[in-house]
């Protein structure tokens, strides 16, 4: 023999908290009125019943406005319709409540001479308007906060997608230049080719795993630059002077990955093209609040005026997104020497 069974709807945990919060708020309101009546010595059974009936009608007004009138009219900018339906709701409540009050309390309240009175209707209407004002203010404020939170989350997702796109440009660009260097070593059958491949593996490990983090330690970023310079030295041998000077304490400092690396790549790509080599000078100065990273290299006389290219334009875009109002990037070319300076301000500690 089959038996009928049914399952209660499952209420999500977040919805349960929402309902519990509303119930708690109404209990607090009820407790306030009962406390007021008790402290003034006017708490009786019928006074308490009057409070509960009044609270019930106010709850009806509150949630009709909250779940029906605001979403259907006010949220859609149908202001006149909202006002009309809101006043109709208040008038309806104000008309059905007096007969209930008279039926329940008429025999116990000698002041109730008739079902309807202008004073009572005005009292109910004004009370309802206050209720509507409070519920509308809470609803609109809540919607605004949720929309702001949603917009921030969408902006964050957009930023993440843009950064991923920019980083996808950085890595192949970097790999292309490095493979060209190793190719030149292999073409010359240089014995340093295995060392170059090992350096490349270290560079790739950093790029594929550690540089995917939003922030990396400054020490790891500098180590990555050292590996890159060592790889370049295998190719260049003694053809050019390459200096990398560091001043300051890097302990505990973190930055976005591959920022300084772009300037280093640019220096090696465009700096060692003149017969009158002046070498490449790289400097890093670190203090408590910021770091200043600079590269100095020669540039060819026939090089087109202007500072651009995929690498530098990519760097500018990433700086705008990751260090808004917290970076300075300058380029200058003077007498065949190219100067690039990047200043990053560390995120203030909370």
């Amino acid at each position: 023999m089959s038996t009928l069974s049914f399952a209660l709807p499952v209420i999500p945990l977040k919805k349960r908290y929402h309902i519990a919060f509303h119930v708690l708020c109404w209990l607090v309101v009820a407790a306030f009125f009962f406390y007021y009546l008790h402290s003034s010595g006017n708490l009786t059974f019928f006074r308490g019943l009057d409070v509960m009936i009044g609270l019930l009608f106010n709850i009806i007004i509150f949630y009709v406005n909250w779940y029906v009138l605001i979403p259907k009219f006010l949220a859609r900018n149908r202001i006149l319709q909202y006002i009309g339906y809101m006043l109709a709701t208040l008038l309806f409540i104000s008309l059905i409540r007096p007969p209930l009050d008279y039926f329940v309390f008429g025999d116990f309240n000698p002041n109730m001479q008739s079902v309807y009175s202008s004073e009572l209707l005005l009292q109910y209407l004004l009370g309802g308007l206050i209720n509507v004002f409070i519920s509308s203010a809470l609803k609109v404020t809540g919607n605004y906060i949720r929309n702001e939170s949603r917009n921030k989350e969408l902006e964050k997702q957009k930023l993440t997608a843009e950064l991923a796109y920019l980083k996808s440009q950085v890595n192949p660009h970097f790999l292309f230049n490095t493979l060209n260097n190793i190719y030149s070593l292999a073409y010359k059958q240089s014995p340093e080719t295995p060392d170059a491949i090992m350096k490349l593996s270290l560079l790739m490990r950093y790029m594929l795993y550690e540089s995917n983090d939003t922030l990396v330690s400054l020490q790891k970023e500098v180590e990555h630059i050292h590996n890159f310079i060592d790889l370049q030295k295998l190719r260049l041998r003694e053809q050019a002077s390459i200096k990398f000077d560091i001043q300051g304490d890097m302990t505990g400092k973190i930055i976005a990955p591959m920022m300084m690396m772009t300037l280093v790549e640019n220096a090696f790509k465009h700096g060692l093209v003149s017969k009158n080599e002046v070498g490449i000078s790289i400097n890093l100065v670190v203090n408590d609040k910021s770091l200043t990273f600079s590269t100095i290299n020669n540039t060819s006389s026939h090089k087109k005026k202007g500072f651009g290219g995929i690498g530098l334009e990519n760097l500018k875009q990433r700086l705008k997104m990751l260090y808004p109002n917290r970076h300075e990037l300058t380029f200058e070319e003077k007498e065949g020497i190219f100067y690039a300076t990047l200043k990053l301000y560390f995120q203030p500690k909370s």
Side-chain angles (χ1 to χ4, degrees):
M1 182 177 179
S2 62
T3 58
L4 295 176
S5 62
F6 66 94
L8 293 175
V10 177
I11 302 176
L13 185 60
K14 187 176 180 180
K15 190 70 174 178
R16 294 180 194 175
Y17 287 134
H18 182 76
I19 294 173
F21 177 75
H22 278 247
V23 171
L24 180 62
C25 288
W26 287 112
L27 289 176
V28 170
V29 172
F32 170 79
F33 282 109
F34 277 104
Y35 175 78
Y36 174 77
L37 291 175
H38 180 268
S39 61
S40 61
N42 296 321
L43 182 59
T44 63
F45 172 76
F46 287 101
R47 284 279 187 177
L49 184 60
D50 185 36
V51 169
M52 296 304 295
I53 292 175
L55 192 63
L56 175 62
F57 278 104
N58 276 286
I59 289 174
I60 293 173
I61 293 172
F62 187 96
Y63 289 110
V64 167
N65 186 52
W66 186 280
Y67 286 113
V68 180
L69 300 183
I70 292 177
K72 286 184 175 294
F73 303 108
L74 188 60
R76 300 178 183 180
N77 290 324
R78 297 158 66 178
I79 308 298
L80 292 179
Q81 287 178 289
Y82 171 76
I83 294 175
Y85 279 103
M86 180 265 292
L87 291 176
T89 301
L90 294 181
L91 184 60
F92 176 75
I93 295 294
S94 299
L95 289 176
I96 66 171
R97 184 176 174 185
L100 180 62
D101 287 347
Y102 188 82
F103 175 77
V104 175
F105 305 109
D107 294 338
F108 305 94
N109 189 350
N111 294 324
M112 281 189 173
Q113 300 297 328
S114 61
V115 175
Y116 293 103
S117 68
S118 58
E119 181 181 349
L120 193 61
L121 288 175
L122 183 60
Q123 176 185 334
Y124 290 158
L125 282 172
L126 289 177
L129 283 172
I130 294 173
N131 189 334
V132 167
F133 175 78
I134 293 173
S135 63
S136 297
L138 292 174
K139 183 72 170 180
V140 171
T141 302
N143 287 344
Y144 174 80
I145 293 174
R146 280 191 295 272
N147 288 336
E148 283 295 303
S149 177
R150 189 179 299 114
N151 289 338
K152 287 181 180 179
E153 183 62 29
L154 290 175
E155 189 67 25
K156 183 179 178 181
Q157 292 177 2
K158 179 183 176 183
L159 176 63
T160 301
E162 289 179 353
L163 285 172
Y165 170 71
L166 291 173
K167 189 175 289 185
S168 70
Q169 288 183 318
V170 172
N171 290 348
H173 182 260
F174 170 82
L175 181 61
F176 176 77
N177 292 337
T178 306
L179 287 176
N180 273 345
N181 296 336
I182 294 179
Y183 171 76
S184 65
L185 290 174
Y187 183 78
K188 298 174 184 177
Q189 297 184 345
S190 170
E192 282 85 9
T193 301
D195 290 336
I197 295 174
M198 178 59 67
K199 291 290 183 183
L200 176 60
S201 69
L202 294 175
L203 295 174
M204 292 303 298
R205 181 182 297 120
Y206 179 83
M207 290 169 51
L208 292 175
Y209 300 107
E210 299 182 42
S211 70
N212 286 328
D213 296 332
T214 304
L215 296 170
V216 297
S217 72
L218 180 57
Q219 291 171 315
K220 287 185 178 180
E221 185 77 0
V222 169
E223 182 182 348
H224 179 63
I225 293 174
H226 274 300
N227 287 333
F228 178 81
I229 293 175
D230 290 342
L231 185 60
Q232 296 296 322
K233 285 180 177 179
L234 290 175
R235 176 177 66 91
L236 298 170
R237 297 180 179 274
E238 303 299 328
Q239 295 178 15
S241 172
I242 302 172
K243 297 179 181 180
F244 186 13
D245 296 325
I246 301 173
Q247 300 176 33
D249 184 13
M250 297 187 292
T251 305
K253 303 296 191 299
I254 55 175
I255 65 169
M258 302 296 289
M259 290 295 184
M260 300 185 298
M261 191 66 225
T262 302
L263 296 182
V264 176
E265 281 189 82
N266 188 72
F268 278 95
K269 180 179 180 182
H270 301 291
L272 303 177
V273 293
S274 174
K275 294 181 179 179
N276 300 318
E277 302 286 3
V278 298
I280 294 176
S281 177
I282 303 171
N283 295 279
L284 173 63
V285 179
V286 184
N287 56 47
D288 291 337
K289 296 183 179 180
S290 66
L291 67 80
T292 301
F293 185 76
S294 61
T295 60
I296 303 173
N297 57 272
N298 64 284
T299 182
S300 61
S301 58
H302 65 273
K303 186 175 180 290
K304 201 166 51 174
K305 187 72 175 178
F307 316 122
I310 294 176
L312 295 183
E313 288 302 319
N314 188 303
L315 175 62
K316 293 176 185 177
Q317 293 298 320
R318 288 192 295 146
L319 285 170
K320 286 181 182 179
M321 288 186 282
L322 293 174
Y323 289 88
N325 303 317
R326 293 194 296 118
H327 76 275
E328 298 172 16
L329 179 64
T330 59
F331 304 117
E332 183 182 8
E333 186 177 351
K334 186 186 301 182
E335 299 179 355
I337 307 299
F338 184 75
Y339 302 84
T341 303
L342 171 63
K343 186 169 186 177
L344 298 178
Y345 295 89
F346 299 121
Q347 183 72 35
K349 296 181 179 180
S350 54

